[in-house]
Amino acid sequence: MKERKLLWILLVMLTALFLAACTANEDAGEPQEGTDTEEGNGEDGEDGEAAEETPDLDGKTLYINNGQEPASFDPSIGFDQVSWDPLNNLMEGLTRLDENSVAAEGVAESWDISEDGLTYTFHLREDAKWSNGDPVVAEDFVFAWKHMLDPETASQAAFLAYYIEGGEEYNSGEGSADDVNVTAVDDKTLEVVLIQPTGFFLDLLTNPAFFPINHQVAEETPDWYAEADTFVANGPFMLESWEHDSEMIFAKNPEYWDADAVNLDYVHFSMVNNTNSQYQMFQTGELDTASIPPEMSDELIDGDDVFIGESGGLEFYRFNLTEEPFQNKKIRQAFSYAINRDDIAEYVVKQGVEPAYGFVSPGFTAPDGKDFREENGDLLSFDPELGKQLLEEGMQEEGYDELPPVVLTYSTSDVNQAVAETMQNMLSENLGIDVTLENQEWNVFSEAQQNLELQFSRSSFLNDYADPVNFLESFTTNSYMNRTGFESAEYDELIQKSKSETDEEQRYEYMYEAERMLAEEMIAMPIRYYNVVVLEADGVEGILRHPVGYFDLKYADKAE
């Protein structure tokens, strides 16, 4: 039986290899996580093409891959890894993750926190400037955050600012911009009032959603973020040129307050989202970093030029509870029990990834010093016999003589295809279910999933800030990230308590309970946790890849 199972896994991988070879120069694949084509944030995206040739730049230049065209460089709109990874190097918020992935001083050189933990007063650097020479002022943050919360902006990231007093009310249309308690006391002093003590607030502010916007530029040129000649930066680099769907060139920003710490003169971003194509570019010296194609993992992963690190994130599949047959919990559970996550991690994705038997990824330390994942344990298992039993019971409950047709939809990429085909085979072999596969281009896929038009679909999540509640809040009733039709007042209350409880031990108990509820309801099916596996050329050093956070080139260097 084991030999038969391994045989069809190998056949799936060979099929994906053949297709990848046939489409190596086409718009295929998803950007996996940002510039090194690892897997996407809040959500990931796809479909980019390589530039026809790599330009020679006069200066120390790092050549990396962004996978595809950014969705937007408006900090409020680009809610994906391929937008926020490069944006994290063009801009800077009040705080910035340091070499130890801790929220440290950014535009703010210091801050004061009131005794009740609700009021933060940030003191901005006198030498913080935009790339056009304008000073970075407190009003730039007020403007940017209210822009994010403005219902007209329709920012997918707006929920991140609900910790601010008046933020949710304004964004939901029940309040006004004046209700958002963010105040420019003077040009270099910003005051923020929260609705409840939030221990991770400084970490949250490292997220690109909280980057400032030059309010004077934005008022004169509303689409300032769309082209290189109108873009203004306040981070380590500025946008030198942008050939859409092809390449971006960043240049060192001489106006950046800490420009002396920046080693690179230029960063050249390609947009290639086929893992084999970008690996070939790495071999020929056209890229200084690259992902390892899954089929070459065993051969390359132990090499001296490989960086392996943690990444807080999850690949999972959503059930649409508004479509048959997934209104039935036992049928959803049956699908989960039929999936062998160990085999998917070891034989399909490879790269040293870990199978997911819970929703919150490893790496979050609980008050007792243990890892959240260790404390809450494995909530799922591989049990085909139990899956068959639950499928039969669920079909009886719904009066099904046969299961309604099931379509599994995924966003285009060679890895996604291989995983989907493996799951298709597992469901056929373990439950006797014939599942139809469908792949869609990212923008079409993302909109259809958001509109609950997909029955059973692939998803990914990379944490926006370093707290377990960030993933768990995705499935509250009104969350943009829900996309399942799941509604539960009990679950919503658990998440609210997970945010408002000041006793950390009790707060974690609420989160443990919420995760167990997700596993019981099985509205989404975890597959594997993410990690970071990147090839780096000789002489490349100093790139920061935070377990939770965004790719940072401020300290990157390259031997000439």
Side-chain angles (χ1 to χ4, degrees):
M1 186 67 166
K2 180 71 172 176
E3 291 178 356
R4 179 184 173 193
K5 178 169 61 178
L6 292 179
L7 177 61
W8 59 252
I9 289 176
L10 290 172
L11 287 172
V12 166
M13 293 173 64
L14 287 171
T15 301
L17 257 173
F18 173 75
L19 291 172
C22 290
T23 61
N25 295 314
E26 298 176 7
D27 290 352
E30 99 188 315
Q32 307 191 25
E33 185 178 288
T35 44
D36 291 315
T37 60
E38 298 131 21
E39 193 78 23
N41 177 335
E43 279 296 322
D44 45 29
E46 63 200 74
D47 282 344
E49 293 182 353
E52 291 186 359
E53 51 183 71
T54 304
D56 291 324
L57 297 170
D58 186 17
K60 188 181 293 186
T61 305
L62 185 70
Y63 292 91
I64 58 181
N65 182 34
N66 197 55
Q68 72 166 56
E69 171 80 358
S72 177
F73 275 165
D74 178 340
S76 299
I77 301 299
F79 191 55
D80 55 36
Q81 197 81 3
V82 292
S83 300
W84 278 357
D85 255 339
L87 194 61
N88 192 51
N89 295 284
L90 292 170
M91 302 185 77
E92 182 171 270
L94 294 166
T95 57
R96 189 179 191 90
L97 294 178
D98 64 13
E99 294 93 329
N100 297 313
S101 299
V102 174
E105 298 82 355
V107 172
E109 62 182 357
S110 64
W111 48 82
D112 304 309
I113 306 173
S114 62
E115 287 189 11
D116 61 6
L118 297 180
T119 302
Y120 286 68
T121 304
F122 294 94
H123 307 285
L124 279 57
R125 299 177 186 277
E126 291 295 333
D127 56 351
K129 294 182 180 180
W130 293 97
S131 53
N132 66 354
D134 291 346
V136 178
V137 295
E139 185 59 34
D140 293 334
F141 287 93
V142 175
F143 179 91
W145 296 3
K146 290 187 178 182
H147 168 67
M148 170 172 54
L149 288 164
D150 187 340
E152 295 295 321
T153 303
S155 169
Q156 298 171 5
F159 72 95
L160 295 172
Y162 285 3
Y163 295 98
I164 300 171
E165 189 175 83
E168 183 173 7
E169 290 79 3
Y170 178 39
N171 186 242
S172 65
E174 298 176 0
S176 69
D178 293 338
D179 297 327
V180 181
N181 208 334
V182 179
T183 306
V185 178
D186 56 43
D187 278 355
K188 293 295 182 177
T189 309
L190 180 74
E191 183 180 273
V192 185
V193 180
L194 308 184
I195 58 174
Q196 60 204 22
T198 305
F200 50 82
F201 186 63
L202 294 174
D203 186 276
L204 180 65
L205 293 181
T206 68
N207 187 284
F210 293 95
F211 286 170
I213 292 174
N214 187 317
H215 69 284
Q216 293 177 317
V217 169
E219 287 166 355
E220 294 174 5
T221 310
D223 61 349
W224 62 274
Y225 52 83
E227 301 292 342
D229 60 359
T230 53
F231 190 91
V232 286
N234 76 316
F237 298 91
M238 56 186 184
L239 189 55
E240 180 87 354
S241 66
W242 186 358
E243 185 177 341
H244 293 283
D245 296 306
S246 180
E247 67 175 16
M248 297 179 293
I249 297 174
F250 291 5
K252 181 177 177 177
N253 180 7
E255 299 290 348
Y256 180 52
W257 67 269
D258 200 19
D260 289 345
V262 181
N263 301 302
L264 299 171
D265 296 304
Y266 296 100
V267 181
H268 177 272
F269 288 87
S270 297
M271 299 182 193
V272 181
N273 61 24
N274 181 277
T275 53
N276 290 284
S277 297
Q278 52 89 41
Y279 175 65
Q280 291 166 9
M281 292 173 70
F282 178 79
Q283 287 185 303
T284 59
E286 296 171 86
L287 287 176
D288 291 316
T289 71
S291 297
I292 297 176
E295 66 273 10
M296 302 185 71
S297 178
D298 293 341
E299 176 186 347
L300 300 176
I301 199 166
D302 293 326
D304 294 336
D305 57 354
V306 176
F307 169 87
I308 301 177
E310 295 180 351
S311 179
L314 177 75
E315 178 180 13
F316 62 102
Y317 281 74
R318 299 177 197 264
F319 295 106
N320 185 344
L321 277 60
T322 70
E323 289 194 13
E324 293 188 295
F326 298 126
Q327 78 281 5
N328 186 280
K329 180 170 70 174
K330 289 183 178 178
I331 293 176
R332 301 194 299 268
Q333 292 173 334
F335 272 58
S336 178
Y337 281 118
I339 300 302
N340 188 327
R341 295 161 178 82
D342 285 352
D343 280 356
I344 290 175
E346 183 175 358
Y347 300 114
V348 183
V349 181
K350 299 188 174 184
Q351 313 272 20
V353 301
E354 293 293 328
Y357 292 99
F359 293 87
V360 174
S361 58
F364 297 100
T365 303
D368 62 1
K370 294 182 180 179
D371 191 279
F372 182 103
R373 183 72 278 125
E374 177 187 0
E375 192 70 58
N376 222 23
D378 289 347
L379 303 179
L380 314 170
S381 65
F382 173 54
D383 191 337
E385 292 306 313
L386 180 55
K388 290 176 183 177
Q389 176 186 329
L390 288 168
L391 178 63
E392 182 179 346
E393 292 176 4
M395 290 178 65
Q396 287 178 352
E397 289 176 358
E398 300 299 330
Y400 294 148
D401 292 326
E402 60 181 42
L403 198 69
V406 174
V407 178
L408 186 161
T409 309
Y410 60 93
S411 51
T412 307
S413 92
D414 46 357
V415 178
N416 289 354
Q417 178 176 335
V419 172
E421 290 177 345
T422 302
M423 289 175 55
Q424 180 187 45
N425 279 282
M426 289 177 174
L427 291 167
S428 175
E429 179 169 301
N430 297 328
L431 296 182
I433 296 172
D434 293 326
V435 172
T436 300
L437 300 185
E438 178 182 63
N439 73 292
Q440 296 180 350
E441 180 271 330
W442 168 249
N443 290 330
V444 175
F445 173 85
S446 179
E447 183 176 357
Q449 189 182 71
Q450 174 64 21
N451 293 334
L452 290 181
E453 295 169 0
L454 304 181
Q455 183 188 25
F456 181 34
S457 59
R458 182 199 178 271
S459 288
S460 67
F461 183 89
L462 289 178
N463 284 72
D464 300 301
Y465 55 91
D467 193 88
V469 77
N470 184 209
F471 178 86
L472 298 172
E473 69 182 346
S474 297
F475 297 97
T476 54
T477 298
N478 296 319
S479 171
Y480 156 80
M481 287 293 294
N482 189 317
R483 306 180 193 180
T484 64
F486 174 67
E487 296 182 9
S488 168
E490 179 185 354
Y491 186 80
D492 293 350
E493 183 179 2
L494 283 172
I495 298 305
Q496 180 54 41
K497 289 179 177 178
S498 298
K499 292 181 176 182
S500 61
E501 176 60 58
T502 56
D503 182 285
E504 279 296 289
E505 290 187 4
Q506 182 59 60
R507 194 172 78 87
Y508 266 72
E509 287 300 326
Y510 290 136
M511 291 191 286
Y512 294 144
E513 186 177 350
E515 189 193 35
R516 291 192 294 268
M517 185 174 176
L518 279 186
E520 168 65 21
E521 293 295 330
M522 193 46 61
I523 61 175
M525 184 171 69
I527 298 297
R528 51 103 174 186
Y529 301 118
Y530 285 120
N531 63 358
V532 179
V533 180
V534 182
L535 292 163
E536 287 187 351
D538 290 342
V540 173
E541 61 182 15
I543 299 175
L544 301 182
R545 298 183 178 87
H546 304 291
V548 175
Y550 295 87
F551 181 92
D552 194 338
L553 301 174
K554 176 177 177 177
Y555 304 105
D557 204 354
K558 177 182 175 182
E560 293 184 289

